[in-house]
Amino acid sequence: PPALYFLPAILTPAQKKFLDAQQDTVKEILVEEQKEWEETKEAGLEEVKTLRRQAEDALAPVKKNEEEIKKKDQEARGEEEAESESVTVASVPAAQAADEEMEVEQEGSGARGMDTEERIEY
């Protein structure tokens, strides 16, 4: 008669052989799936890198144009500041003529302590 085991820790040789075969099959499947996952992950990362490079290449002219515009703005501001520094109320003939034509109160007016030498920024 076949051996009967009532203890779960003791297996028959056929049961042990069956479980070992199942474990080996599962391990092989896991190794294959892990390899597939790694390959898929690497392919995805490469695709992301490629898309980022393409996006950077596509935006490069826009960024370059923005930088040029900023440079021109900075240069223009620098020139405007240089011009505004040299322009004072006393150096503008129109302002002198306007002062002569209008009645201007020097003190107590709405200008509150403005010098005639203060800068006029345009």
Side-chain angles (χ1 to χ4, degrees):
L4 294 175
Y5 296 99
F6 295 100
L7 300 174
I10 301 174
L11 301 174
T12 64
Q15 290 172 327
K16 185 168 173 66
K17 190 176 185 181
F18 175 77
L19 290 176
D20 288 343
Q22 271 189 334
Q23 288 177 346
D24 291 341
T25 304
V26 169
K27 286 179 184 176
E28 289 173 6
I29 291 171
L30 286 175
V31 168
E32 288 176 19
E33 287 184 6
Q34 184 68 28
K35 285 180 184 177
E36 288 177 14
W37 163 246
E38 291 294 328
E39 290 171 0
T40 303
K41 182 176 107 174
E42 290 299 320
L45 291 174
E46 280 300 316
E47 183 180 4
V48 167
K49 287 179 185 177
T50 303
L51 291 172
R52 284 184 179 166
R53 273 189 244 118
Q54 289 175 351
E56 287 175 4
D57 292 344
L59 291 177
V62 174
K63 286 183 180 180
K64 185 178 180 181
N65 190 26
E66 286 177 355
E67 289 173 4
E68 289 175 2
I69 290 171
K70 284 181 183 179
K71 270 186 178 178
K72 288 179 183 178
D73 285 347
Q74 288 173 350
E75 290 172 2
R77 286 184 187 146
E79 290 173 6
E80 287 176 4
E81 287 175 6
E83 287 176 7
S84 67
E85 288 176 4
S86 64
V87 176
T88 60
V89 174
S91 66
V92 178
Q96 290 173 349
D99 283 345
E100 291 171 3
E101 293 174 10
M102 293 191 319
E103 293 179 20
V104 178
E105 294 180 21
Q106 292 296 336
E107 292 184 28
S109 69
R112 290 194 187 154
M114 259 180 66
D115 274 336
T116 55
E117 290 296 319
E118 283 189 26
R119 286 187 232 157
I120 297 176
E121 295 183 19
Y122 294 97

